[in-house]
Amino acid sequence: MRSVACARTEVIIVKLAETVTFGGGGLDRAAHLRGDADAMARLAAQPDARCLPVWRGKPLMRGEGVSELALLPCDHPAILSEVGSRDTRVFLGHGTDGAPLFAVDFSTWEPEHVDAEALNLFLDPTEQRHPGLPDDHAFAELRRIMTRLTPLDAEIAATAKAIIGWHHTHGFCARCGTRSDVSQAGWQRTCPACKSHHFPRTDPVVIMLITHGASVLMGRSPGWPEGMYSLLAGFVEPGETLEAAVRREVFEETGVRVGAVGYLASQPWPLPASRMNRCSGEAVSREITIDPAEIEDAIWVSRDEMMTAFAGQHPVLKPARKGAIAHFLIRNWLADRLD
Ligand SMILES: [Zn+2]
C-alpha cells in the first residue's frame, strides 16, 4: 500500500496494483455538470480550459520525441477550423489544478499522406502532423506512447480515446436504428425517434497470473513476434463472475484447472474499449492441452527462467512489453509483492 497525493489536497491510499499505466491520475470527472449546457459553455470559455484533439484514436502529443500530451486552448484556430462551431466537445472533467478539460474529435481531417497499413499495426509507428499546429505536435498511437505520460495525462488520453471511439462506432440507436444525438456533454447518446438513452460501453476482460508452485502459466497467440509470451486473458461473458471467467478461459485455452482466484485491481484499457480486471489464480492441475483455435502455445515458466527473460538473457522467452499489464503483474510476482 502507498499514499499518493491526489485531486486537490486529498490523500488517498491505493494498492500497488493500481499504480500502473491508466491506473488513474486524479481526474475529477464532475459528472453532475454534464447535463448543464450553460456550465459547459462557461467552462470552455475559461482562460485555463484545455482541449485534447484525438485523430482516429490517436491523441495529440508534443515535444521532442512526442513525450507529452498536447492540451490546446479551446479556441485554438486549428480546433475552430477542424471542429468549427459544432458542439462536439466531450467534457472530461477538471484536472488536478482545477482547469476544465475537453476532448475534440479531429478524425474528419485527411492528412496528405497516410500509411493505411501502418495505422492497423499492433504498434503503429506513424505520426500525423496537422498543418495548423506547431511542427513538434503530432498524433501518435496510445499503445506506443503510453509509458511516457504522467498518470493524469494517461487518464485524460485513455478517457478521450475511449469515448470518442465509442461515438464512432455507436452513431445509431441500437433499438430502432435511427441516428442518435450526442447528449450529456458527450457521455450519452439519445435517440430522437424512440427516446432511448445509450451509454458509453466498456467491455470487461480478465487477465490472470496463474501460478503452480513457483511457475507461472504463459501463452502466445498466432502471429505474435517470436519469443513473445504473455499472461492469458479473455472477455467476461454476460451472466458470469470474474472468478468464473478466469477459470473458464484458462481451461478453454490450456486445459489447466484453476482453484482459488483472487482479484488484484482493475485498469481501463481503451484499446479499443476494454476494462482489464487483473486477477491471480492457483492452478490445481499442471498438464497443458492447448486449444489451437485460441492460442498457439502455452508453457509453465519458472521464477528463475522469468528472471532470466526479464534480464533479456533467455534463449527463447522475451520479457513482457513495458507498460503492458502482463509486464506489471509478472514483475511484481517476481518481487513477491502482488497485492
Ligand atoms: Zn431509437
Side-chain angles (χ1 to χ4, degrees):
M1 308 279 267
R2 61 175 61 175
S3 324
V4 291
C6 198
R8 313 244 153 76
T9 55
E10 292 166 52
V11 171
I12 55 167
I13 305 296
V14 299
K15 293 198 295 181
L16 176 67
E18 290 174 65
T19 58
V20 66
T21 315
F22 308 132
L27 180 68
D28 169 7
R29 294 172 178 243
H32 62 287
L33 297 174
R34 291 172 186 164
D36 184 342
D38 292 342
M40 283 302 120
R42 222 169 30 243
L43 288 172
Q46 273 183 217
D48 60 344
R50 290 290 178 270
C51 261
L52 174 67
V54 177
W55 180 79
R56 300 180 195 174
K58 299 165 87 165
L60 186 66
M61 299 286 290
R62 72 168 154 223
E64 204 173 319
V66 291
S67 54
E68 61 183 85
L69 210 57
L71 293 159
L72 307 178
C74 291
D75 59 355
H76 190 286
I79 294 181
L80 298 180
S81 73
E82 281 306 327
V83 183
S85 57
R86 285 177 291 135
D87 192 14
T88 52
R89 281 185 298 249
V90 175
F91 176 57
L92 300 176
H94 298 288
T96 45
D97 60 357
L101 299 168
F102 295 85
V104 283
D105 187 3
F106 264 48
S107 299
T108 54
W109 168 55
E110 289 290 349
E112 270 185 33
H113 306 289
V114 175
D115 183 346
E117 214 167 287
L119 290 183
N120 292 322
L121 289 177
F122 183 72
L123 277 179
D124 165 18
T126 64
E127 293 172 358
Q128 287 71 33
R129 286 167 212 281
H130 189 282
L133 294 171
D135 287 347
D136 72 340
H137 285 49
F139 291 101
E141 202 233 350
L142 187 58
R143 195 192 296 270
R144 191 167 66 85
I145 51 91
M146 62 188 180
T147 54
R148 303 172 197 171
L149 301 175
T150 65
L152 176 62
D153 284 354
E155 184 174 357
I156 293 168
T159 307
K161 173 177 163 58
I163 198 140
I164 287 176
W166 173 69
H167 286 294
H168 275 256
T169 52
H170 291 74
F172 294 85
C173 177
R175 183 163 286 167
C176 76
T178 304
R179 176 165 267 294
S180 53
D181 300 322
V182 177
S183 53
Q184 291 287 321
W187 289 87
Q188 199 172 303
R189 297 190 72 95
T190 305
C191 176
C194 75
K195 312 295 179 205
S196 295
H197 299 308
H198 301 281
F199 299 92
R201 172 173 168 171
T202 304
D203 300 326
V205 172
V206 283
I207 179 162
M208 44 273 185
L209 187 113
I210 303 299
T211 53
H212 188 267
S215 302
V216 62
L217 185 58
M218 308 281 290
R220 58 171 277 119
S221 294
W224 280 9
E226 207 179 313
M228 181 177 162
Y229 282 78
S230 190
L231 299 178
L232 303 180
F235 286 100
V236 182
E237 295 186 343
E240 189 175 45
T241 63
L242 298 181
E243 293 83 349
V246 167
R247 296 189 184 102
R248 177 183 53 75
E249 281 287 341
V250 173
F251 183 72
E252 281 176 7
E253 294 186 352
T254 66
V256 170
R257 292 280 185 194
V258 175
V261 171
Y263 166 79
L264 298 167
S266 66
Q267 177 177 19
W269 197 248
L271 306 163
S274 297
R275 188 187 69 249
M276 291 291 189
N277 297 284
R278 285 177 276 148
C279 297
S280 59
E282 289 172 26
V284 293
S285 71
R286 199 174 168 94
E287 196 182 313
I288 292 173
T289 312
I290 62 157
D291 174 359
E294 296 234 12
I295 58 173
E296 184 180 273
D297 193 21
I299 48 173
W300 287 105
V301 179
S302 73
R303 201 177 271 265
D304 289 346
E305 273 184 294
M306 192 60 85
M307 297 261 212
T308 314
F310 263 59
Q313 290 165 351
H314 196 282
V316 178
L317 205 57
K318 299 271 187 301
R321 210 163 37 81
K322 226 176 153 209
I325 298 163
H327 182 275
F328 179 89
L329 285 173
I330 296 168
R331 187 161 47 83
N332 285 292
W333 172 67
L334 288 175
D336 237 342
R337 51 174 193 201
L338 259 191
D339 62 356

